[in-house]
Amino acid sequence: HVVFGIKRVLNVSSTSYSVFTLVNGMGIWNEGDPTYTGLDGLNVDNLDAQGKLVAWVQDHNGNGTIFENFVNGTTVMATFRYGAPVSQPQLSIDANGDMYLVYTSTVEDQLSNNVYYNHLWGRKYYNATGQWGQFVELTAGNPGDYDFTEQIYPSLSKTMDSQLHIVYMFDLDPGSYVEPYVSPGTIAGSSNTMMYLTVDKSDLILNKKETNLTSPLVSIYPNPIANDMNVSFSFNKSTEVNMTVLNMVGSTAMSEKFIAGRGETEQINVSELPGGIYLAKFETSNGTFTKKIIKK
């Protein structure tokens, strides 16, 4: 079983070329299949018709259109230097013949300075039915929200228990380099981190989100934060708040309890936190809310 990203490039001359940025898809070739030949051999529509297209960029914001914010000549996919919009596949197979595909995909509604971020995605192939399952954004669940972060170079262990075991590179800026793609030199190499992720093998889904990541009832400012974090609440009545700040591996960095009411702002000192990305989790009688924060 061979899985590969598809990218189309036109060699205009020995010194110039054109990249068809929005051509995206991931194909599969199985031993015994005929060779893909000619320009149309890897046409994503043709592969889809043959059941050989296993992944493509998803409609991340669910509005029915992919790349509606793409502007030719302005918007950049960092992946064009190291692969296609869906690329870097890793494939593992278990004793039942079920296959687990993990790969990097452009996120069509998340940009930084006109450059798209990339996240980790996965699919499961069910050997009993010969069908591929749903698309799963692997870092969309607990312990936190990874929006507007870069996740590339997945490495999937060939062995597994009840979970898949994945190591990948995490960064605050899109791109494949030690420094950000857009403005080299602005972020040190120490900002890149190798992360370890486990995914439930049974259905290729992390634990469901139990927190509301988009509610306007809780807001944080400024963000990024230097020393003091201001948290405002729009609840209808006062409530006790249990706040927990988690780092990106899910460990508690700090915690605090206080009473909050509608329209009130709580100022919390976070100067002791090392610089990085955190998740501020607020457990209240109105529900549980999580916000991503960046500590300078």
Side-chain angles (χ1 to χ4, degrees):
H1 308 280
V2 181
V3 179
F4 52 92
I6 299 169
K7 175 178 178 179
R8 179 164 290 184
V9 179
L10 172 64
N11 288 318
V12 179
S13 67
S14 60
T15 58
S16 65
Y17 61 91
S18 296
V19 178
F20 293 78
T21 310
L22 300 185
V23 172
N24 85 90
M26 186 167 284
I28 188 169
W29 181 89
N30 299 313
E31 188 172 1
D33 287 349
T35 303
Y36 295 122
T37 59
L39 186 62
D40 286 335
L42 293 179
N43 181 294
V44 292
D45 292 329
N46 293 343
L47 290 176
D48 190 27
Q50 300 168 41
K52 296 296 183 179
L53 193 70
V54 296
W56 52 90
V57 174
Q58 295 299 291
D59 180 12
H60 193 258
N61 57 15
N63 68 353
T65 304
I66 298 177
F67 293 131
E68 68 274 8
N69 49 20
F70 179 83
V71 179
N72 192 33
T74 299
T75 316
V76 176
M77 291 186 188
T79 50
F80 90 88
R81 289 196 179 274
Y82 59 82
V86 284
S87 59
Q88 303 172 359
Q90 297 279 287
L91 194 66
S92 188
I93 189 168
D94 66 11
N96 297 322
D98 294 334
M99 294 192 295
Y100 301 86
L101 172 64
V102 175
Y103 62 94
T104 297
S105 175
T106 297
V107 186
E108 54 97 24
D109 63 341
Q110 295 183 15
L111 298 95
S112 173
N113 295 319
N114 291 316
V115 182
Y116 288 106
Y117 281 97
N118 300 278
H119 285 182
L120 299 186
W121 291 73
R123 291 188 87 185
K124 178 178 178 178
Y125 174 83
Y126 295 85
N127 186 46
T129 62
Q131 300 291 322
W132 286 91
Q134 62 186 326
F135 289 88
V136 178
E137 187 179 2
L138 299 182
T139 47
N142 291 328
D145 175 33
Y146 285 64
D147 284 350
F148 298 98
T149 64
E150 182 82 342
Q151 305 138 42
I152 57 175
Y153 302 137
S155 178
L156 173 64
S157 173
K158 291 184 178 180
T159 59
M160 62 187 81
D161 42 30
S162 62
Q163 295 180 315
L164 304 181
H165 300 268
I166 305 163
V167 175
Y168 68 94
M169 192 180 93
F170 173 88
D171 197 357
L172 299 182
D173 287 86
S176 60
Y177 302 119
V178 171
E179 297 173 332
Y181 171 76
V182 180
S183 51
T186 60
I187 293 183
S190 60
S191 295
N192 296 273
T193 307
M194 299 305 295
M195 301 286 283
Y196 169 63
L197 173 70
T198 58
V199 180
D200 295 339
K201 190 187 90 168
S202 59
D203 52 8
L204 199 63
I205 296 177
L206 286 172
N207 294 330
K208 295 288 186 180
K209 288 185 182 179
E210 62 181 19
T211 54
N212 189 331
L213 300 173
T214 60
S215 174
L217 295 177
V218 179
S219 61
I220 294 175
Y221 62 94
N223 198 8
I225 306 161
N227 295 306
D228 293 319
M229 175 174 70
N230 297 299
V231 185
S232 64
F233 302 89
S234 299
F235 302 144
N236 292 324
K237 59 182 180 179
S238 296
T239 179
E240 183 178 81
V241 178
N242 292 317
M243 184 196 78
T244 307
V245 177
L246 306 171
N247 61 25
M248 284 293 96
V249 295
S251 299
T252 299
M254 66 175 290
S255 61
E256 194 166 320
K257 290 185 179 181
F258 51 88
I259 302 295
R262 179 179 177 86
E264 291 187 358
T265 298
E266 184 77 12
Q267 188 174 80
I268 301 166
N269 186 280
V270 295
S271 59
E272 297 299 317
L273 290 178
I277 293 181
Y278 296 88
L279 298 166
K281 182 177 181 180
F282 304 91
E283 296 176 275
T284 76
S285 60
N286 295 277
T288 301
F289 309 90
T290 300
K291 298 288 185 179
K292 181 178 70 175
I293 61 174
I294 301 175
K295 174 65 170 59
K296 295 181 186 177

Short mmCIF file of all heavy atoms in Angstrom, two decimals, residues 71-124:
data_model
loop_
_atom_site.label_atom_id
_atom_site.label_comp_id
_atom_site.label_asym_id
_atom_site.label_seq_id
_atom_site.Cartn_x
_atom_site.Cartn_y
_atom_site.Cartn_z
N VAL A 71 -6.38 34.21 -2.54
CA VAL A 71 -6.17 35.27 -3.51
C VAL A 71 -4.92 34.94 -4.30
O VAL A 71 -3.82 34.89 -3.74
CB VAL A 71 -6.02 36.65 -2.83
CG1 VAL A 71 -5.77 37.73 -3.88
CG2 VAL A 71 -7.24 36.97 -1.99
N ASN A 72 -5.07 34.69 -5.58
CA ASN A 72 -3.94 34.31 -6.42
C ASN A 72 -2.87 35.40 -6.40
O ASN A 72 -3.15 36.58 -6.60
CB ASN A 72 -4.41 34.06 -7.86
CG ASN A 72 -3.34 33.40 -8.70
OD1 ASN A 72 -2.56 32.60 -8.20
ND2 ASN A 72 -3.31 33.73 -9.98
N GLY A 73 -1.64 35.00 -6.16
CA GLY A 73 -0.54 35.95 -6.11
C GLY A 73 -0.33 36.58 -4.75
O GLY A 73 0.67 37.26 -4.52
N THR A 74 -1.27 36.36 -3.82
CA THR A 74 -1.16 36.95 -2.47
C THR A 74 -1.13 35.87 -1.41
O THR A 74 -0.24 35.85 -0.55
CB THR A 74 -2.34 37.90 -2.20
OG1 THR A 74 -2.31 38.96 -3.16
CG2 THR A 74 -2.24 38.50 -0.80
N THR A 75 -2.13 34.97 -1.44
CA THR A 75 -2.21 33.92 -0.44
C THR A 75 -1.20 32.82 -0.76
O THR A 75 -1.06 32.42 -1.91
CB THR A 75 -3.62 33.33 -0.38
OG1 THR A 75 -4.58 34.39 -0.42
CG2 THR A 75 -3.81 32.54 0.89
N VAL A 76 -0.52 32.34 0.27
CA VAL A 76 0.55 31.36 0.09
C VAL A 76 0.24 30.12 0.91
O VAL A 76 -0.24 30.21 2.04
CB VAL A 76 1.91 31.93 0.53
CG1 VAL A 76 3.01 30.87 0.44
CG2 VAL A 76 2.28 33.13 -0.32
N MET A 77 0.50 28.95 0.32
CA MET A 77 0.47 27.71 1.09
C MET A 77 1.91 27.36 1.42
O MET A 77 2.72 27.15 0.53
CB MET A 77 -0.17 26.58 0.28
CG MET A 77 -1.65 26.76 0.06
SD MET A 77 -2.34 25.31 -0.74
CE MET A 77 -3.99 25.90 -1.06
N ALA A 78 2.20 27.33 2.71
CA ALA A 78 3.57 26.99 3.10
C ALA A 78 3.95 25.62 2.58
O ALA A 78 5.13 25.33 2.38
CB ALA A 78 3.69 27.03 4.63
N THR A 79 2.95 24.78 2.32
CA THR A 79 3.23 23.42 1.84
C THR A 79 3.84 23.40 0.43
O THR A 79 4.35 22.38 0.01
CB THR A 79 1.94 22.59 1.81
OG1 THR A 79 0.93 23.33 1.14
CG2 THR A 79 1.48 22.27 3.20
N PHE A 80 3.78 24.51 -0.30
CA PHE A 80 4.27 24.42 -1.67
C PHE A 80 5.77 24.16 -1.71
O PHE A 80 6.31 23.72 -2.72
CB PHE A 80 3.90 25.68 -2.47
CG PHE A 80 4.91 26.80 -2.43
CD1 PHE A 80 5.94 26.86 -3.35
CD2 PHE A 80 4.81 27.80 -1.49
CE1 PHE A 80 6.86 27.90 -3.32
CE2 PHE A 80 5.72 28.84 -1.46
CZ PHE A 80 6.75 28.89 -2.38
N ARG A 81 6.48 24.38 -0.61
CA ARG A 81 7.91 24.12 -0.58
C ARG A 81 8.21 22.67 -0.19
O ARG A 81 9.29 22.17 -0.50
CB ARG A 81 8.62 25.07 0.39
CG ARG A 81 8.67 26.51 -0.12
CD ARG A 81 9.69 27.32 0.66
NE ARG A 81 9.78 28.67 0.16
CZ ARG A 81 10.55 29.07 -0.84
NH1 ARG A 81 11.29 28.18 -1.47
NH2 ARG A 81 10.57 30.33 -1.21
N TYR A 82 7.34 22.02 0.54
CA TYR A 82 7.68 20.67 1.00
C TYR A 82 6.60 19.65 0.71
O TYR A 82 6.63 18.55 1.24
CB TYR A 82 8.02 20.68 2.50
CG TYR A 82 6.92 21.15 3.41
CD1 TYR A 82 5.89 20.30 3.81
CD2 TYR A 82 6.91 22.45 3.91
CE1 TYR A 82 4.90 20.73 4.65
CE2 TYR A 82 5.93 22.88 4.77
CZ TYR A 82 4.92 22.02 5.14
OH TYR A 82 3.94 22.45 5.99
N GLY A 83 5.64 19.98 -0.11
CA GLY A 83 4.63 18.99 -0.45
C GLY A 83 3.40 19.63 -1.01
O GLY A 83 3.38 20.81 -1.35
N ALA A 84 2.35 18.86 -1.12
CA ALA A 84 1.08 19.31 -1.66
C ALA A 84 0.20 19.80 -0.51
O ALA A 84 0.56 19.67 0.66
CB ALA A 84 0.41 18.16 -2.40
N PRO A 85 -0.99 20.38 -0.82
CA PRO A 85 -1.90 20.81 0.26
C PRO A 85 -2.25 19.70 1.23
O PRO A 85 -2.50 19.96 2.41
CB PRO A 85 -3.13 21.32 -0.51
CG PRO A 85 -2.57 21.79 -1.81
CD PRO A 85 -1.48 20.81 -2.15
N VAL A 86 -2.32 18.46 0.76
CA VAL A 86 -2.37 17.30 1.65
C VAL A 86 -1.14 16.45 1.34
O VAL A 86 -0.93 16.05 0.19
CB VAL A 86 -3.68 16.48 1.49
CG1 VAL A 86 -4.84 17.19 2.14
CG2 VAL A 86 -4.00 16.20 0.03
N SER A 87 -0.32 16.20 2.34
CA SER A 87 0.96 15.55 2.08
C SER A 87 1.48 14.89 3.35
O SER A 87 0.78 14.82 4.36
CB SER A 87 1.98 16.57 1.56
OG SER A 87 2.16 17.61 2.50
N GLN A 88 2.71 14.40 3.29
CA GLN A 88 3.41 13.77 4.41
C GLN A 88 2.60 12.62 5.01
O GLN A 88 2.40 12.55 6.23
CB GLN A 88 3.73 14.82 5.48
CG GLN A 88 4.56 15.97 4.95
CD GLN A 88 4.72 17.09 5.96
OE1 GLN A 88 4.20 17.04 7.07
NE2 GLN A 88 5.44 18.12 5.58
N PRO A 89 2.11 11.69 4.19
CA PRO A 89 1.28 10.60 4.73
C PRO A 89 2.09 9.58 5.53
O PRO A 89 3.25 9.31 5.23
CB PRO A 89 0.69 9.97 3.48
CG PRO A 89 1.72 10.22 2.42
CD PRO A 89 2.29 11.57 2.73
N GLN A 90 1.44 9.03 6.54
CA GLN A 90 1.95 7.90 7.31
C GLN A 90 0.85 6.85 7.36
O GLN A 90 -0.30 7.17 7.63
CB GLN A 90 2.31 8.34 8.73
CG GLN A 90 3.43 9.36 8.80
CD GLN A 90 4.79 8.71 8.70
OE1 GLN A 90 5.26 8.06 9.63
NE2 GLN A 90 5.43 8.87 7.56
N LEU A 91 1.21 5.61 7.08
CA LEU A 91 0.22 4.54 6.99
C LEU A 91 0.65 3.37 7.85
O LEU A 91 1.81 2.94 7.79
CB LEU A 91 0.06 4.10 5.53
CG LEU A 91 -1.15 3.23 5.19
CD1 LEU A 91 -2.44 4.01 5.37
CD2 LEU A 91 -1.03 2.73 3.75
N SER A 92 -0.26 2.87 8.66
CA SER A 92 0.03 1.70 9.49
C SER A 92 -1.14 0.74 9.38
O SER A 92 -2.28 1.14 9.11
CB SER A 92 0.25 2.12 10.94
OG SER A 92 0.71 1.02 11.71
N ILE A 93 -0.88 -0.55 9.58
CA ILE A 93 -1.91 -1.58 9.41
C ILE A 93 -1.87 -2.51 10.62
O ILE A 93 -0.79 -2.81 11.14
CB ILE A 93 -1.67 -2.35 8.09
CG1 ILE A 93 -2.84 -3.27 7.78
CG2 ILE A 93 -0.36 -3.09 8.09
CD1 ILE A 93 -2.80 -3.84 6.36
N ASP A 94 -3.05 -2.93 11.09
CA ASP A 94 -3.08 -3.80 12.26
C ASP A 94 -3.34 -5.25 11.85
O ASP A 94 -3.45 -5.57 10.67
CB ASP A 94 -4.09 -3.30 13.29
CG ASP A 94 -5.54 -3.38 12.80
OD1 ASP A 94 -5.80 -4.01 11.76
OD2 ASP A 94 -6.42 -2.81 13.48
N ALA A 95 -3.47 -6.11 12.85
CA ALA A 95 -3.63 -7.55 12.59
C ALA A 95 -4.93 -7.86 11.88
O ALA A 95 -5.06 -8.92 11.24
CB ALA A 95 -3.54 -8.32 13.91
N ASN A 96 -5.92 -6.98 11.96
CA ASN A 96 -7.20 -7.19 11.28
C ASN A 96 -7.18 -6.73 9.83
O ASN A 96 -8.17 -6.89 9.12
CB ASN A 96 -8.32 -6.44 12.02
CG ASN A 96 -8.51 -6.95 13.44
OD1 ASN A 96 -8.43 -8.14 13.70
ND2 ASN A 96 -8.78 -6.03 14.36
N GLY A 97 -6.07 -6.11 9.42
CA GLY A 97 -6.00 -5.58 8.07
C GLY A 97 -6.58 -4.18 7.95
O GLY A 97 -6.64 -3.62 6.85
N ASP A 98 -7.01 -3.59 9.08
CA ASP A 98 -7.47 -2.20 9.06
C ASP A 98 -6.26 -1.28 8.94
O ASP A 98 -5.24 -1.49 9.59
CB ASP A 98 -8.24 -1.87 10.34
CG ASP A 98 -9.55 -2.65 10.45
OD1 ASP A 98 -10.10 -3.03 9.40
OD2 ASP A 98 -10.01 -2.87 11.58
N MET A 99 -6.39 -0.26 8.12
CA MET A 99 -5.29 0.68 7.90
C MET A 99 -5.61 2.03 8.53
O MET A 99 -6.77 2.45 8.57
CB MET A 99 -5.00 0.86 6.41
CG MET A 99 -4.46 -0.39 5.74
SD MET A 99 -3.82 -0.08 4.07
CE MET A 99 -5.31 0.42 3.20
N TYR A 100 -4.59 2.69 9.02
CA TYR A 100 -4.72 3.98 9.68
C TYR A 100 -3.81 4.97 8.98
O TYR A 100 -2.60 4.80 8.94
CB TYR A 100 -4.37 3.86 11.16
CG TYR A 100 -5.26 2.85 11.87
CD1 TYR A 100 -4.93 1.50 11.87
CD2 TYR A 100 -6.42 3.26 12.50
CE1 TYR A 100 -5.75 0.57 12.50
CE2 TYR A 100 -7.25 2.35 13.13
CZ TYR A 100 -6.92 1.00 13.11
OH TYR A 100 -7.74 0.09 13.73
N LEU A 101 -4.43 6.00 8.41
CA LEU A 101 -3.71 7.01 7.64
C LEU A 101 -3.64 8.30 8.45
O LEU A 101 -4.67 8.81 8.91
CB LEU A 101 -4.42 7.27 6.31
CG LEU A 101 -3.92 8.43 5.46
CD1 LEU A 101 -2.49 8.18 4.99
CD2 LEU A 101 -4.86 8.66 4.27
N VAL A 102 -2.45 8.84 8.62
CA VAL A 102 -2.22 10.12 9.27
C VAL A 102 -1.46 11.00 8.30
O VAL A 102 -0.51 10.54 7.65
CB VAL A 102 -1.44 9.95 10.59
CG1 VAL A 102 -1.09 11.30 11.20
CG2 VAL A 102 -2.23 9.11 11.57
N TYR A 103 -1.85 12.27 8.17
CA TYR A 103 -1.21 13.14 7.19
C TYR A 103 -1.34 14.61 7.58
O TYR A 103 -2.08 14.96 8.50
CB TYR A 103 -1.82 12.91 5.80
CG TYR A 103 -3.30 13.24 5.71
CD1 TYR A 103 -3.74 14.48 5.28
CD2 TYR A 103 -4.26 12.28 6.05
CE1 TYR A 103 -5.10 14.78 5.20
CE2 TYR A 103 -5.61 12.56 5.97
CZ TYR A 103 -6.03 13.81 5.56
OH TYR A 103 -7.37 14.12 5.48
N THR A 104 -0.61 15.46 6.87
CA THR A 104 -0.67 16.91 7.07
C THR A 104 -1.59 17.51 6.02
O THR A 104 -1.52 17.16 4.84
CB THR A 104 0.73 17.52 6.93
OG1 THR A 104 1.57 17.00 7.96
CG2 THR A 104 0.67 19.03 7.05
N SER A 105 -2.46 18.44 6.45
CA SER A 105 -3.37 19.09 5.50
C SER A 105 -3.43 20.58 5.78
O SER A 105 -3.46 21.02 6.93
CB SER A 105 -4.77 18.50 5.60
OG SER A 105 -5.68 19.21 4.77
N THR A 106 -3.47 21.37 4.70
CA THR A 106 -3.73 22.79 4.80
C THR A 106 -5.10 23.02 5.44
O THR A 106 -6.05 22.30 5.16
CB THR A 106 -3.69 23.43 3.40
OG1 THR A 106 -2.39 23.28 2.85
CG2 THR A 106 -4.05 24.89 3.44
N VAL A 107 -5.20 24.03 6.31
CA VAL A 107 -6.47 24.40 6.95
C VAL A 107 -6.98 25.64 6.24
O VAL A 107 -6.40 26.72 6.34
CB VAL A 107 -6.29 24.67 8.45
CG1 VAL A 107 -7.64 24.90 9.11
CG2 VAL A 107 -5.59 23.49 9.11
N GLU A 108 -8.08 25.49 5.51
CA GLU A 108 -8.49 26.51 4.54
C GLU A 108 -9.02 27.80 5.14
O GLU A 108 -9.16 28.79 4.43
CB GLU A 108 -9.52 25.93 3.57
CG GLU A 108 -10.74 25.29 4.24
CD GLU A 108 -11.93 26.21 4.31
OE1 GLU A 108 -12.00 27.14 3.49
OE2 GLU A 108 -12.78 26.00 5.19
N ASP A 109 -9.28 27.86 6.45
CA ASP A 109 -9.81 29.09 7.02
C ASP A 109 -8.91 29.66 8.11
O ASP A 109 -9.33 30.52 8.87
CB ASP A 109 -11.22 28.85 7.59
CG ASP A 109 -11.22 27.83 8.73
OD1 ASP A 109 -10.24 27.06 8.84
OD2 ASP A 109 -12.19 27.81 9.50
N GLN A 110 -7.64 29.19 8.16
CA GLN A 110 -6.71 29.70 9.16
C GLN A 110 -5.43 30.19 8.48
O GLN A 110 -4.69 29.39 7.90
CB GLN A 110 -6.39 28.62 10.19
CG GLN A 110 -7.60 28.22 11.01
CD GLN A 110 -7.30 27.22 12.09
OE1 GLN A 110 -6.16 26.98 12.45
NE2 GLN A 110 -8.35 26.61 12.64
N LEU A 111 -5.20 31.51 8.54
CA LEU A 111 -4.06 32.11 7.88
C LEU A 111 -3.31 33.03 8.84
O LEU A 111 -3.89 33.60 9.75
CB LEU A 111 -4.48 32.94 6.66
CG LEU A 111 -5.16 32.22 5.51
CD1 LEU A 111 -6.67 32.31 5.65
CD2 LEU A 111 -4.74 32.84 4.18
N SER A 112 -2.01 33.17 8.59
CA SER A 112 -1.17 34.15 9.28
C SER A 112 -0.37 34.88 8.23
O SER A 112 0.42 34.27 7.50
CB SER A 112 -0.23 33.45 10.27
OG SER A 112 0.70 34.36 10.82
N ASN A 113 -0.61 36.20 8.10
CA ASN A 113 0.08 37.00 7.07
C ASN A 113 -0.07 36.37 5.69
O ASN A 113 0.88 36.25 4.93
CB ASN A 113 1.56 37.16 7.42
CG ASN A 113 1.78 37.95 8.68
OD1 ASN A 113 1.10 38.95 8.93
ND2 ASN A 113 2.71 37.51 9.51
N ASN A 114 -1.31 35.94 5.38
CA ASN A 114 -1.65 35.36 4.08
C ASN A 114 -1.01 34.00 3.83
O ASN A 114 -0.90 33.56 2.68
CB ASN A 114 -1.30 36.31 2.93
CG ASN A 114 -2.18 37.53 2.91
OD1 ASN A 114 -3.40 37.45 3.07
ND2 ASN A 114 -1.58 38.70 2.74
N VAL A 115 -0.58 33.32 4.88
CA VAL A 115 -0.03 31.97 4.76
C VAL A 115 -0.92 31.01 5.54
O VAL A 115 -1.25 31.26 6.70
CB VAL A 115 1.42 31.89 5.28
CG1 VAL A 115 1.97 30.47 5.09
CG2 VAL A 115 2.30 32.90 4.56
N TYR A 116 -1.33 29.90 4.91
CA TYR A 116 -2.20 28.93 5.56
C TYR A 116 -1.44 28.09 6.59
O TYR A 116 -0.31 27.67 6.36
CB TYR A 116 -2.80 27.97 4.52
CG TYR A 116 -3.85 28.57 3.63
CD1 TYR A 116 -3.56 28.87 2.30
CD2 TYR A 116 -5.12 28.84 4.10
CE1 TYR A 116 -4.52 29.41 1.46
CE2 TYR A 116 -6.09 29.38 3.27
CZ TYR A 116 -5.78 29.67 1.96
OH TYR A 116 -6.73 30.21 1.13
N TYR A 117 -2.12 27.83 7.70
CA TYR A 117 -1.61 26.86 8.67
C TYR A 117 -1.90 25.44 8.17
O TYR A 117 -2.76 25.23 7.30
CB TYR A 117 -2.27 27.05 10.03
CG TYR A 117 -1.71 28.19 10.84
CD1 TYR A 117 -2.33 29.44 10.83
CD2 TYR A 117 -0.58 28.02 11.63
CE1 TYR A 117 -1.82 30.49 11.59
CE2 TYR A 117 -0.08 29.06 12.40
CZ TYR A 117 -0.70 30.29 12.37
OH TYR A 117 -0.21 31.33 13.12
N ASN A 118 -1.22 24.47 8.77
CA ASN A 118 -1.43 23.06 8.48
C ASN A 118 -1.69 22.30 9.77
O ASN A 118 -1.05 22.57 10.79
CB ASN A 118 -0.19 22.47 7.79
CG ASN A 118 0.11 23.16 6.48
OD1 ASN A 118 -0.47 22.85 5.46
ND2 ASN A 118 1.05 24.11 6.51
N HIS A 119 -2.62 21.34 9.72
CA HIS A 119 -2.95 20.52 10.88
C HIS A 119 -2.82 19.04 10.52
O HIS A 119 -2.74 18.68 9.34
CB HIS A 119 -4.38 20.80 11.35
CG HIS A 119 -4.53 22.10 12.07
ND1 HIS A 119 -5.72 22.53 12.61
CD2 HIS A 119 -3.64 23.09 12.37
CE1 HIS A 119 -5.57 23.70 13.19
NE2 HIS A 119 -4.31 24.07 13.04
N LEU A 120 -2.86 18.21 11.55
CA LEU A 120 -2.81 16.76 11.36
C LEU A 120 -4.23 16.21 11.20
O LEU A 120 -5.13 16.57 11.95
CB LEU A 120 -2.15 16.08 12.55
CG LEU A 120 -0.70 16.45 12.86
CD1 LEU A 120 -0.17 15.56 13.97
CD2 LEU A 120 0.18 16.34 11.63
N TRP A 121 -4.39 15.34 10.22
CA TRP A 121 -5.67 14.69 9.97
C TRP A 121 -5.46 13.18 9.85
O TRP A 121 -4.33 12.72 9.70
CB TRP A 121 -6.30 15.22 8.68
CG TRP A 121 -6.74 16.64 8.77
CD1 TRP A 121 -5.93 17.75 8.79
CD2 TRP A 121 -8.09 17.12 8.86
NE1 TRP A 121 -6.70 18.89 8.89
CE2 TRP A 121 -8.02 18.54 8.92
CE3 TRP A 121 -9.34 16.51 8.86
CZ2 TRP A 121 -9.15 19.33 9.01
CZ3 TRP A 121 -10.47 17.31 8.95
CH2 TRP A 121 -10.38 18.69 9.02
N GLY A 122 -6.55 12.43 9.92
CA GLY A 122 -6.44 10.99 9.79
C GLY A 122 -7.73 10.37 9.27
O GLY A 122 -8.80 10.97 9.32
N ARG A 123 -7.58 9.15 8.75
CA ARG A 123 -8.72 8.33 8.32
C ARG A 123 -8.40 6.87 8.60
O ARG A 123 -7.24 6.47 8.64
CB ARG A 123 -8.99 8.47 6.82
CG ARG A 123 -9.53 9.80 6.36
CD ARG A 123 -9.94 9.76 4.89
NE ARG A 123 -11.31 9.30 4.74
CZ ARG A 123 -11.89 9.08 3.55
NH1 ARG A 123 -11.20 9.27 2.43
NH2 ARG A 123 -13.15 8.68 3.47
N LYS A 124 -9.45 6.11 8.78
CA LYS A 124 -9.31 4.68 9.00
C LYS A 124 -9.92 3.91 7.83
O LYS A 124 -11.00 4.25 7.36
CB LYS A 124 -10.00 4.28 10.31
CG LYS A 124 -9.95 2.78 10.61
CD LYS A 124 -10.62 2.47 11.94
CE LYS A 124 -10.61 0.97 12.23
NZ LYS A 124 -11.22 0.66 13.54
#
